[in-house]
Amino acid sequence: PLCVTISVHGPDVDFDVVMDCLQKHSNPVDPFPQIFHFDIAPSVLDKVDALLFSMLVLKGLKNSSGNVWRCFPQQLYVIEATYKLFKQDADADIRNCNTIEFLKFIPTIICC
């Protein structure tokens, strides 16, 4: 498929589940672009930064067995992160209130 949604739920990111989904839907010889949509639930509190850093900066992911999955140039990644605000002040900077610190370093669109 051209667009694959990977839902990340629970208290922390399970790299094995994410990697299995990536491997199942990746085709390295397909010349067409493919979009991976990571849907990160607000209940996920741990390892989100590690996942984003691995995928967006290091261009790969390693599971608990030591297997490595590498990103392909024709793949694009969309991160949808719903997060909780710690402040209820309308004037507060939303970027300073999120629980995913890595989002401060990538282009972000904030929907209110």
Side-chain angles (χ1 to χ4, degrees), residues 62-112:
K62 185 174 118 177
N63 67 6
S64 62
S65 302
N67 297 322
V68 176
W69 181 85
R70 303 292 297 167
C71 300
F72 299 106
Q74 67 270 24
Q75 294 172 337
L76 304 171
Y77 303 94
V78 175
I79 311 300
E80 178 185 353
T82 305
Y83 50 83
K84 298 175 185 176
L85 295 177
F86 293 117
K87 298 179 182 177
Q88 296 299 324
D89 184 6
D91 296 327
D93 183 5
I94 294 177
R95 286 176 176 256
N96 291 331
C97 300
N98 66 29
T99 58
I100 306 170
E101 294 295 319
F102 192 79
L103 292 179
K104 294 178 183 178
F105 302 107
I106 59 176
T108 305
I109 296 173
I110 299 172
C111 302
C112 297

Side-chain angles (χ1 to χ4, degrees), residues 11-22:
D12 63 354
V13 176
D14 187 349
F15 285 85
D16 293 333
V17 172
V18 173
M19 192 164 156
D20 287 344
C21 187
L22 289 168

Side-chain angles (χ1 to χ4, degrees), residues 2-17:
L2 293 178
C3 184
V4 177
T5 299
I6 300 173
S7 296
V8 182
H9 299 281
D12 63 354
V13 176
D14 187 349
F15 285 85
D16 293 333
V17 172

